[in-house]
Amino acid sequence: MPAVDPTVRVTVDGVDVQVAPGTTLLQAARAAGADVPSLCFDDRLAPFGACRVCLVGLAGLDRPVASCTTLARDGAVVDTQDPTARRVAGAVVELVLSELPAAPASHTELAAVARHFGLDGDDLRWTGATHERDIDERHPYLVLQHELCISCGRCVRACDEVQGTFALTATGRGFEANIAAGLDEGFAQSACVSCGACADTCPTDAITEHLLLDLAGAAATGTTIEGQS
Ligand code: SF4
């Protein structure tokens, strides 16, 4: 019996790329050099498909698909500039930004995604309730800035899948959605082992390190922190 060629051939924005079976459209698009934004995706974690920011057009379908959870099929033709995909994904990002108390810090993934869609955070179409400052500094290394959480779930999945600690939990729904450490008793009282996987994957600085926050504050005020040059 002749061997079956396992290669999957995909065309992304006119660029042909060959990928292995099991590759997602997002991975294929990035392999082809396309700039597809995402918020809930982290290639160290299992695809989640929650944020809808990675929408792309797929030939033969009349609506865009989430590229992070759609497997590439041989002969697939992907359009990362599909107008409907761009419009819907951009609106999602705009809604996310509209709930924040301020524009995201420029170094964050969220800020990069906002720039991708031409959203600088100052001229959003939607206005309404924004999250109030709610900071948890009880952990010796990590800071949880609840108001910056966009409920992407990456920290919870990193804690579960990378560290296997299960210290974080998604809480609330809609505008109230957020995350909590343990049974909401704070990081220090949870099963957290201070690995930092949550802070490393957080796209907004909702979870970050005390030191990084202090350095950012010092840079903003032109001061220095003792022991840091
Ligand atoms: S804390 Fe960060 S990583 Fe966790 S759900 Fe919120 S935005 Fe996502």
Side-chain angles (χ1 to χ4, degrees):
M1 200 165 127
V4 177
D5 180 0
T7 304
V8 176
R9 299 165 186 82
V10 183
T11 303
V12 181
D13 299 341
V15 176
D16 295 329
V17 63
Q18 296 185 7
V19 296
T23 301
T24 64
L25 291 182
L26 178 61
Q27 292 169 316
R30 289 180 173 173
D35 181 15
V36 181
S38 63
L39 282 176
C40 70
F41 180 78
D42 181 327
D43 59 12
R44 297 166 293 185
L45 308 173
F48 197 45
C51 72
R52 321 311 279 181
V53 172
C54 69
L55 291 176
V56 296
L58 187 60
L61 295 182
D62 61 2
R63 64 185 65 179
V65 297
S67 63
C68 71
T69 52
T70 306
L71 292 182
R73 297 194 176 193
D74 197 41
V77 178
V78 176
D79 178 7
T80 68
Q81 300 304 307
D82 176 87
T84 304
R86 292 276 304 181
R87 178 171 51 78
V88 174
V92 167
V93 176
E94 207 170 337
L95 280 171
V96 166
L97 294 171
S98 74
E99 294 186 355
L100 300 181
S106 61
H107 67 272
T108 61
E109 275 187 56
L110 178 57
V113 170
R115 289 192 291 272
H116 178 96
F117 289 101
L119 302 165
D120 66 6
D122 293 328
D123 56 354
L124 302 176
R125 284 174 292 171
W126 294 297
T127 56
T130 56
H131 296 291
E132 293 181 8
R133 185 116 174 105
D134 181 4
I135 187 165
D136 182 345
E137 299 180 291
R138 290 175 286 180
H139 192 285
Y141 310 117
L142 299 171
V143 181
L144 180 44
Q145 304 181 97
H146 284 288
E147 73 278 12
L148 301 182
C149 180
I150 62 171
S151 303
C152 67
R154 283 167 58 168
C155 57
V156 178
R157 290 180 286 136
C159 191
D160 296 356
E161 297 175 26
V162 176
Q163 187 59 29
T165 299
F166 303 91
L168 295 171
T169 312
T171 64
R173 297 173 69 101
F175 187 75
E176 304 300 327
N178 216 288
I179 64 125
L183 297 175
D184 208 8
E185 72 270 44
F187 268 122
Q189 307 305 318
S190 75
C192 175
V193 295
S194 306
C195 72
C198 53
D200 189 49
T201 193
C202 181
T204 71
D205 276 358
I207 302 180
T208 188
E209 298 175 29
H210 283 286
L211 178 60
L212 295 178
L213 211 54
D214 291 345
L215 288 172
T221 57
T223 55
T224 56
I225 298 174
E226 193 175 341
Q228 303 292 320
S229 57

